């Protein structure tokens, strides 16, 4: 059985969240996961139960020996290499969806609401950082040919110039700045 390798638990979870239900194509799903060790290797199995059609999808990934999140204060999806399971367009679509769904200023928010909003913006910034990893050294932008999923190609087609090194740097900084304002020096991990 060929089991795809994820660079982290966070990346594997993100892969599952980006996939539609195989039964109804929806995303109204509950996720659970288990991790076990087989022959010295760690495997994570994610079960996605669809609340709309009751379909159950199961995904299995091989996890690395050490998780890149270990000890990091922000959100980390992987090491220096680009993802082999989520394409650049999917990462940017996730960043956009995550960043537009909530507040970007702390006014009127409780501490838990601020922490959740800051964490969402940190995740969006980390996803943009993942897109940058796909740009070849010496190049300034990604070509459409580097997207391997329909969702990734659609995101690229929506605005190809967002896939330039300069635009991605501006987007990532905006998300990180919003996360900092929302956190206000408080911890975001609850």
């Amino acid at each position: 059985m060929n089991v795809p390798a994820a660079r982290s638990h966070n990346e594997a979870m993100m892969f599952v969240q980006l996939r539609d239900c195989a039964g109804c194509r929806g995303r109204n799903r509950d996720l659970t996961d288990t991790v076990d060790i087989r022959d010295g290797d760690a495997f994570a199995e994610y079960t996605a139960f669809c609340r709309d059609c009751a379909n159950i999808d199961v995904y299995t990934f091989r996890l690395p020996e050490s998780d890149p999140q270990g000890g990091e204060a922000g959100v980390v999806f992987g090491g220096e290499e680009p993802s082999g399971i989520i394409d650049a367009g999917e990462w940017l679509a996730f960043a956009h969806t995550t960043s537009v769904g909530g507040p970007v200023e702390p006014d009127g928010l409780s501490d838990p609401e601020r922490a959740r909003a800051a964490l969402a913006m940190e995740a969006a910034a980390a996803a943009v950082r993942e897109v940058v990893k796909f740009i070849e050294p010496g190049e300034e932008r990604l070509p459409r040919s580097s997207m391997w999923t329909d969702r990734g190609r659609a995101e690229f087609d929506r605005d190809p110039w967002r896939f330039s090194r300069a635009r991605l740097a501006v987007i990532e900084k905006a998300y990180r700045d919003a996360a900092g304002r929302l956190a206000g020096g408080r911890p975001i991990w609850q």
Side-chain angles (χ1 to χ4, degrees):
M1 175 176 167
N2 187 16
V3 178
R7 297 171 304 152
S8 69
H9 175 74
N10 287 349
E11 181 182 50
M13 183 67 82
M14 183 58 52
F15 177 91
V16 175
Q17 290 176 342
L18 289 169
R19 298 299 169 271
D20 296 333
C21 168
C24 69
R25 311 309 301 162
R27 290 202 185 162
N28 186 19
R29 306 189 303 171
D30 291 320
L31 301 177
T32 59
D33 65 304
T34 58
V35 176
D36 68 324
I37 306 298
R38 293 182 238 151
D39 298 324
D41 290 325
F43 291 88
E45 184 174 276
Y46 301 85
T47 303
F49 174 79
C50 183
R51 288 179 244 163
D52 294 330
C53 74
N55 179 62
I56 298 173
D57 294 316
V58 178
Y59 305 86
T60 304
F61 297 93
R62 181 184 312 273
L63 296 177
E65 284 185 33
S66 64
D67 195 305
Q69 181 68 53
E72 292 294 320
V75 176
V76 178
F77 291 109
E80 293 301 314
E81 73 285 351
S83 177
I85 60 174
I86 300 171
D87 77 19
E90 289 180 296
W91 283 116
L92 200 55
F94 165 76
H96 176 75
T97 301
T98 301
S99 68
V100 299
V104 294
E105 297 297 335
D107 299 336
L109 300 178
S110 67
D111 284 350
E113 289 169 332
R114 288 170 65 125
R116 280 191 299 276
L119 182 57
M121 292 309 245
E122 280 287 336
V128 173
R129 172 67 23 215
E130 291 301 322
V131 177
V132 173
K133 294 175 186 179
F134 284 90
I135 300 175
E136 293 291 330
E139 296 296 323
E140 287 306 311
R141 60 189 300 265
L142 274 171
R144 185 178 192 271
S145 61
S146 65
M147 313 300 152
W148 65 79
T149 64
D150 290 341
R151 183 173 288 130
R153 288 186 291 272
E155 190 66 21
F156 183 88
D157 292 344
R158 197 165 68 82
D159 183 359
W161 293 105
R162 288 179 308 140
F163 290 84
S164 72
R165 210 178 278 281
R167 284 279 299 275
L168 291 166
V170 168
I171 295 167
E172 181 183 1
K173 182 178 183 329
Y175 294 159
R176 290 207 189 282
D177 289 350
R181 285 191 309 274
L182 287 159
R186 297 175 182 97
I188 62 173
W189 303 105
Q190 302 277 326

